Amino acid sequence: MNYDKYMTLDELKIRLRIKDDEEDAYLEIMLHDVIDHVLTYTNNKFRKGFPNDVKRAVAQLVNLQIQIDEGVLVSSGNWGSGEQSQTGNDREVKTVKIDGLSKTYATSGESASDKAGGWEKFLDLPNSPYNILKHYRIARMTTLARKCGR
């Protein structure tokens, strides 16, 4: 697949304000993964390439994945087994910043009702990547729907 049709590594680095080339191989893999995710999520082939707001969403998602990989962000969504990590490496997240937006959460020591690490809620903000991408989603047509339409 020609990923440059959608977004180049150089453009991603400009959007993320990365000037060196130390992490280019990693960034390129992340970029390709996110492009594949966006194409699948939207069910849209973007024949003319990504519009600028989709490119911004791609950069946001790459940045989010970098923060997750570096251990800066920890999910509170209990996506795994629901148990705490036995390694003790989990960190609480107090503030999440993406593309000029920020959301602050109370740590468990500050409030028992507002669970720390709830960065997933950040994705619901108006300028979040998924709120941008939802406008480009194309409904998937099922086999039954195709038969009914004939």
Side-chain angles (χ1 to χ4, degrees), residues 48-114:
K48 295 181 180 179
F50 288 156
N52 285 330
D53 57 342
V54 173
K55 289 180 180 183
R56 184 178 40 161
V58 167
Q60 289 174 335
L61 290 170
V62 168
N63 189 37
L64 187 64
Q65 187 60 51
I66 290 168
Q67 292 179 57
I68 292 167
D69 289 350
E70 292 176 350
V72 175
L73 299 181
V74 178
S75 171
S76 67
N78 294 328
W79 294 353
S81 65
E83 298 175 12
Q84 291 293 336
S85 169
Q86 300 301 317
T87 64
N89 289 334
D90 288 347
R91 291 190 244 167
E92 293 180 332
V93 176
K94 180 145 177 132
T95 302
V96 178
K97 294 180 182 178
I98 299 177
D99 197 35
L101 298 173
S102 68
K103 178 71 176 173
T104 303
Y105 300 93
T107 62
S108 58
E110 294 171 337
S111 169
S113 64
D114 194 6

Side-chain angles (χ1 to χ4, degrees), residues 14 44 101 107 133:
I14 290 168
N44 189 332
L101 298 173
T107 62
L133 294 175

Side-chain angles (χ1 to χ4, degrees), residues 8 11 19 24 40 76 86-87 89 95 100 109 139 148:
T8 65
E11 185 172 3
K19 295 181 180 174
D24 280 6
T40 300
S76 67
Q86 300 301 317
T87 64
N89 289 334
T95 302
C148 292

